[in-house]
Amino acid sequence: MMFGHADDWWVPFLCPVLLWVPFGPFLMGAAGAWCAARPGWRPRLWSVLLPLVPVGVSAAVMVLPLDQEKRTEDLVGYATVYIGGITLLPRPLGYGTTRLVRAARARREPPPRVRRRGFVTVPSVPPEPGRVSGRRAVRGRTSP
């Protein structure tokens, strides 16, 4: 109790910390996939801002109060599991998985070339010579 107020004002900050344990890896994996799919500064900024509150609050709970002696084994375990395993590892896994899937799809099938005319999507494969396309007959080379 300090100045007539309770010291439990920081307890609502622990809610994101507890929710980060089950949902954090999925969110960071999605952030990594987003970074791989959309290059730019926004996905990278959000992959830094997203874990800022849960990791910052949990780190403050682990380190504070400063007058107590530090428990090195606990800090190493916290950094390995909470920061490394739950927060940092899923992002490169999501990024790498997305890049590998996109590379495999690009190698397996070339992207279809499509032109748009108004609201109708027309494939850009030229018609065979001599065939009628639309209103006009298409003239082309008959010899190779």
Side-chain angles (χ1 to χ4, degrees), residues 101-144:
V101 167
R102 290 180 83 187
R105 285 182 183 166
R107 181 184 300 163
R108 187 173 53 223
E109 55 191 52
R113 296 180 59 190
V114 175
R115 292 184 296 168
R116 292 187 180 255
R117 289 185 185 170
F119 296 105
V120 179
T121 303
V122 180
S124 65
V125 177
E128 297 175 15
R131 290 191 65 188
V132 176
S133 172
R135 293 187 203 166
R136 300 183 311 179
V138 177
R139 296 185 182 179
R141 292 188 300 174
T142 55
S143 63

Side-chain angles (χ1 to χ4, degrees), residues 6 8 14-15 19 25 38 40 56 72 75 77 80 83 86 89 95 104 114 116 120 127 131 135 141 143:
D8 296 335
L14 292 177
C15 185
L19 290 174
R38 297 251 182 198
T72 306
L75 292 176
T80 303
I83 295 176
I86 293 176
L89 183 62
Y95 184 88
V114 175
R116 292 187 180 255
V120 179
R131 290 191 65 188
R135 293 187 203 166
R141 292 188 300 174
S143 63

Side-chain angles (χ1 to χ4, degrees), residues 22-84:
F23 301 119
F26 297 108
L27 291 173
M28 290 307 290
W34 187 28
C35 286
R38 297 251 182 198
W41 61 272
R42 278 194 186 136
R44 281 149 184 82
L45 178 68
W46 275 107
S47 66
V48 171
L49 293 178
L50 188 64
L52 196 61
V53 170
V55 173
V57 170
S58 64
V61 168
M62 283 298 293
V63 173
L64 296 176
L66 296 174
D67 59 351
Q68 291 182 351
E69 74 176 66
K70 301 297 175 222
R71 303 168 312 275
T72 306
E73 300 86 24
D74 292 344
L75 292 176
V76 169
Y78 164 77
T80 303
V81 174
Y82 198 82
I83 295 176

